[in-house]
Amino acid sequence: MDILGISCYYHDAAAVLLRDGQLIAAAEEERFSRIKHDYGFPKNAIKYCLEAGGTTGPDLDYVVFFEKPFRKLDRILATVLQTYPQSWKVFRESMISWVLDKLWVASTLETELGIKKDKVLFSEHHLSHAASAYLCSPFDESAILTVDGVGEWVTATYGIGKGNDIRLFKQMDFPHSIGLLYSAFTAFLGFEVNEGEYKVMGMAPYGEPRYVDKVWKLVHQNADGSFSLDMDYFSFHHSTEKTYSKKFEQLFGAPRPTKLHFFTEGTGFPKYFGEPPANIHEISKINQHYADIAASIQRVTEELILGMARNLHKETGLKNLCIAGGVGLNSVANTRIMRETAFEQVFVQPAAGDGGGALGAALWAYNTLLGKPRNFRMDHAYWGRSYGASEITTFLQSNKIPYHLIENEDQMLDQVVERLMGGKVIGWYQGRFEWGPRALGHRSIIADPRNPDMKDIVNSKIKFREPYRPFAPSVLAESAEKYFELPRATSHYPARYMLYVVPVKPEAQSTLPAITHVDGTGRLQTVFKDQSPRYYKLIERFGQATGVPVILNTSFNLRGEPIVTTPANAFNTFIKSEMDSLVLDNYLIEKSSLN
Ligand SMILES: [Fe+2]
């Protein structure tokens, strides 16, 4: 039985193909369209999924959409009518886009896929999130927490998964939303909503949470973990342009201007920002205020999520927890749940944002709606398209790009290790691309984590990004405990997906300066031999040569662009940056040999 899951029209569009309950393919549309967070109809991702399964639209048994369009329209109408006339603009824009696209999902699917409307099913937004975590988790029974911006009406749920059944038993409703609270601060701190949340998380360790009391004026948490926002501080419910209100600005001061470099005394002023301004100390001081605000909202968010998780544990008494929804990408909060609640095991869907809803919708239809037994556990995230040797050679030869073909894997790995040890930065591209927002060694830029200058080198020559954003370490799963404070490291699923941030052991911090964040932590990826043998072997060989089986891993993209997908994307990114070498599966390309 073939089921296609689809999410689109809100945040990240994606498609997945499930065959007899097993995942065949999954991809977010942005990887193909090259539009970051593309939310349009995912026609390229669908095409890929159907090709991967060797099937066509009319042959599908079901297509499942990740939410209920009418219910969502209902929420928008109700919200805008409540706050009319401020909300007139939202109303007009919403109506145009709803009438044009969203209400006609079933018709669109019928036209695009050639599938009959009676084969189109609709899940619900948070049910899709819940299913995307629980149904592919290793647990037979688990509590489920979903937290995001907003789905149809719902912004967070508590649930229980048992066998192939899911029951969501408590929900929090719009406008009371942790996701939207965090987004308001993201915008206030001068970053783009739904994109800059990582930057706020990265800034937080450079600040002191001295405004926690002020943030608590905006949000109240009840004894059962549910929460409510004081809407006087926000405007996302009646504006498409602003998420926070005048009152918010009275409390926190003027917002940080967008497009200005962010730096403090702690981050320093990196060379690649250009000449330091004359009043650098004054600006650093002003920025420190914003870093303190970032630390404060991060702290309150963690407390809110912890409050929910603790109550969920109390109400269910279960030892396992599954997490999904955009807030599930807050790795610091995930780690605190693992450490500070009574849950013993945690699973987080790697595509915790709305893209993952496509997977959840398909799993929900197969396991819960149709009652079929669960037979898929998500052990890795390599579900995207791969590009074979003939596609790579065709690209290289037709563009007259000089390359070395090294079919012997050991020889290739030796070449790469040698370059890493020589301080080179390498584009590492292999096999199928990753599902979710993190690069996990199949579309990664890699470097030597032992080199104290490497953070600046990668930031300035390759990523062109903010100096305070940390780089992640990929470590052999069996060696992780030697370097990181993560007992039983191999048992933690979120660490496979870079969804935990844990302290780097004090004695390892000086060994791993390029991946140790300012607060002594690292967002590690544990790498398993079974799941990514070639990447595992590379790290293993690097470990044999240096004594340290850890590699600096950052996503293979330029700032603001989606992670690379095709060999051509990879090569273009390689050319535009100052990476030294590029590995496309068995092909090695040297910057020095290009003219
Ligand atoms: Fe969502």
Side-chain angles (χ1 to χ4, degrees):
M1 177 184 285
D2 282 352
I3 299 181
L4 187 75
I6 293 178
S7 76
C8 62
Y9 298 144
Y10 190 43
H11 287 145
D12 301 292
V16 312
L17 181 67
L18 210 61
R19 174 164 294 158
D20 299 327
Q22 305 256 3
L23 187 58
I24 301 289
E28 283 167 308
E29 182 68 8
E30 68 163 32
R31 301 297 184 95
F32 295 106
S33 69
R34 313 306 300 154
I35 300 165
K36 190 106 172 129
H37 299 301
D38 193 346
Y39 56 82
F41 187 75
K43 57 174 189 289
N44 296 294
I46 291 172
K47 182 168 173 276
Y48 154 63
C49 287
L50 295 178
E51 277 169 8
T55 188
T56 64
D59 290 326
L60 292 167
D61 294 283
Y62 293 102
V63 176
V64 196
F65 194 67
F66 82 127
E67 61 180 16
K68 290 216 162 67
F70 277 98
R71 199 168 297 175
K72 195 159 177 176
L73 178 64
D74 174 52
R75 187 253 299 165
I76 290 174
L77 287 176
T79 313
V80 293
L81 292 178
Q82 239 174 33
T83 53
Y84 188 87
Q86 297 116 293
S87 51
W88 158 245
K89 199 159 172 259
V90 183
F91 177 73
R92 209 185 56 138
E93 287 177 11
S94 306
M95 283 313 290
I96 292 168
S97 85
W98 278 97
V99 170
L100 287 182
D101 296 327
K102 301 177 189 173
L103 286 183
W104 315 123
V105 171
S107 305
T108 307
L109 293 173
E110 193 179 23
T111 320
E112 296 278 340
L113 289 166
I115 187 166
K116 296 227 161 40
K117 271 188 197 160
D118 61 1
K119 288 183 169 185
V120 178
L121 307 172
F122 292 87
S123 175
E124 286 177 17
H125 192 103
H126 278 263
L127 184 58
S128 296
H129 278 316
S132 79
Y134 170 65
L135 290 173
C136 60
S137 76
F139 312 136
D140 295 329
E141 192 177 18
S142 176
I144 307 172
L145 178 65
T146 70
V147 189
D148 71 358
V150 59
E152 291 100 349
W153 266 107
V154 182
T155 62
T157 64
Y158 291 176
I160 290 180
K162 194 169 183 180
N164 51 5
D165 206 24
I166 292 179
R167 187 168 60 90
L168 301 180
F169 65 87
K170 185 174 277 184
Q171 68 180 50
M172 280 132 256
D173 289 336
F174 184 85
H176 307 293
S177 159
I178 296 181
L180 293 173
L181 170 70
Y182 207 85
S183 294
F185 280 92
T186 302
F188 178 82
L189 291 169
F191 303 118
E192 213 176 304
V193 169
N194 199 33
E195 171 62 31
E197 281 76 8
Y198 289 120
K199 301 181 184 178
V200 177
M201 239 192 315
M203 271 165 83
Y206 287 96
E208 286 296 323
R210 61 179 92 243
Y211 300 116
V212 160
D213 291 345
K214 285 192 176 179
V215 179
W216 279 120
K217 285 188 200 286
L218 276 54
V219 56
H220 173 74
Q221 188 157 35
N222 306 309
D224 67 351
S226 66
F227 53 85
S228 51
L229 302 186
D230 180 340
M231 295 315 296
D232 289 350
Y233 290 100
F234 301 93
S235 55
F236 58 76
H237 49 308
H238 56 72
S239 165
T240 47
E241 273 143 30
K242 236 173 157 200
T243 55
Y244 53 87
S245 69
K246 278 250 149 45
K247 195 168 169 186
F248 186 108
E249 288 184 48
Q250 282 158 9
L251 190 60
F252 292 103
R256 194 179 81 85
T258 50
K259 295 191 184 117
L260 281 190
H261 284 312
F262 179 82
F263 57 90
T264 64
E265 299 287 351
T267 68
F269 191 88
K271 283 192 217 92
Y272 57 90
F273 276 3
E275 273 302 303
N279 56 347
I280 181 164
H281 294 295
E282 197 184 320
I283 302 178
S284 292
K285 223 167 145 188
I286 296 170
N287 279 340
Q288 189 59 50
H289 163 73
Y290 294 113
D292 292 345
I293 292 176
S296 307
I297 179 60
Q298 174 65 29
R299 177 65 60 85
V300 171
T301 301
E302 290 165 22
E303 294 300 332
L304 283 165
I305 298 174
L306 274 174
M308 294 172 78
R310 285 195 185 109
N311 274 281
L312 181 55
H313 183 265
K314 206 158 64 186
E315 292 189 39
T316 63
L318 295 170
K319 62 181 197 306
N320 302 321
L321 174 64
C322 291
I323 302 174
V327 180
L329 297 171
N330 196 314
S331 317
V332 178
N334 291 340
T335 315
R336 290 194 64 191
I337 289 179
M338 179 261 295
R339 295 223 154 136
E340 298 175 40
T341 70
F343 286 113
E344 290 169 24
Q345 292 199 81
V346 177
F347 179 87
V348 185
Q349 163 55 232
D354 283 351
L359 173 63
L363 287 168
W364 165 78
Y366 185 79
N367 297 130
T368 308
L369 192 67
L370 301 171
K372 307 271 188 194
R374 289 164 64 197
N375 56 0
F376 172 67
R377 190 176 68 187
M378 192 170 239
D379 286 327
H380 64 79
Y382 310 114
W383 301 102
R385 190 180 182 306
S386 69
Y387 294 79
S390 69
E391 285 174 284
I392 298 175
T393 38
T394 304
F395 167 74
L396 293 172
Q397 288 171 358
S398 61
N399 290 283
K400 300 196 170 49
I401 298 162
Y403 63 84
H404 304 283
L405 171 62
I406 307 175
E407 281 175 313
N408 180 308
E409 189 173 70
D410 290 338
Q411 280 177 18
M412 174 63 100
L413 299 180
D414 283 342
Q415 295 275 337
V416 175
V417 167
E418 192 187 300
R419 283 164 179 72
L420 290 173
M421 289 172 70
K424 306 290 187 203
V425 181
I426 297 173
W428 176 260
Y429 175 108
Q430 64 161 99
R432 303 179 73 173
F433 67 79
E434 296 90 345
W435 168 240
R438 302 275 156 85
L440 300 168
H442 282 204
R443 299 288 187 278
S444 292
I445 295 170
I446 57 173
D448 185 347
R450 302 169 306 149
N451 184 338
D453 298 329
M454 201 43 87
K455 197 171 148 183
D456 273 357
I457 293 172
V458 180
N459 262 330
S460 60
K461 291 190 168 178
I462 288 115
K463 301 287 278 198
F464 312 113
R465 65 178 203 173
E466 304 79 0
Y468 52 87
R469 294 185 65 195
F471 289 115
S474 295
V475 57
L476 297 187
E478 303 79 11
S479 306
E481 288 176 53
K482 187 169 169 206
Y483 299 93
F484 302 95
E485 301 282 3
L486 186 64
R488 299 180 297 109
T490 53
S491 70
H492 294 278
Y493 268 77
R496 296 176 184 226
Y497 304 126
M498 276 187 189
L499 290 169
Y500 276 163
V501 170
V502 301
V504 181
K505 288 203 164 162
E507 63 275 21
Q509 292 187 9
S510 58
T511 314
L512 298 168
I515 57 85
T516 302
H517 205 6
V518 61
D519 58 357
T521 61
R523 182 159 53 84
L524 84 168
Q525 175 201 0
T526 48
V527 180
F528 289 78
K529 197 172 197 167
D530 297 349
Q531 314 306 340
S532 185
R534 189 172 162 98
Y535 192 46
Y536 183 95
K537 252 194 205 170
L538 174 68
I539 304 168
E540 187 175 46
R541 262 187 137 71
F542 183 78
Q544 284 157 358
T546 63
V548 183
V550 184
I551 280 180
L552 180 155
N553 167 11
T554 185
S555 55
F556 196 157
N557 62 324
L558 297 178
R559 186 175 169 180
E561 291 182 3
I563 300 176
V564 301
T565 301
T566 62
N569 299 152
F571 183 77
N572 290 335
T573 300
F574 174 61
I575 286 296
K576 281 191 215 153
S577 71
E578 291 180 45
M579 261 179 267
D580 300 290
S581 312
L582 170 65
V583 177
L584 298 171
D585 283 336
N586 295 333
Y587 299 82
L588 175 65
I589 297 134
E590 297 288 9
K591 188 64 72 55
S592 57
S593 65
L594 304 174
N595 42 35

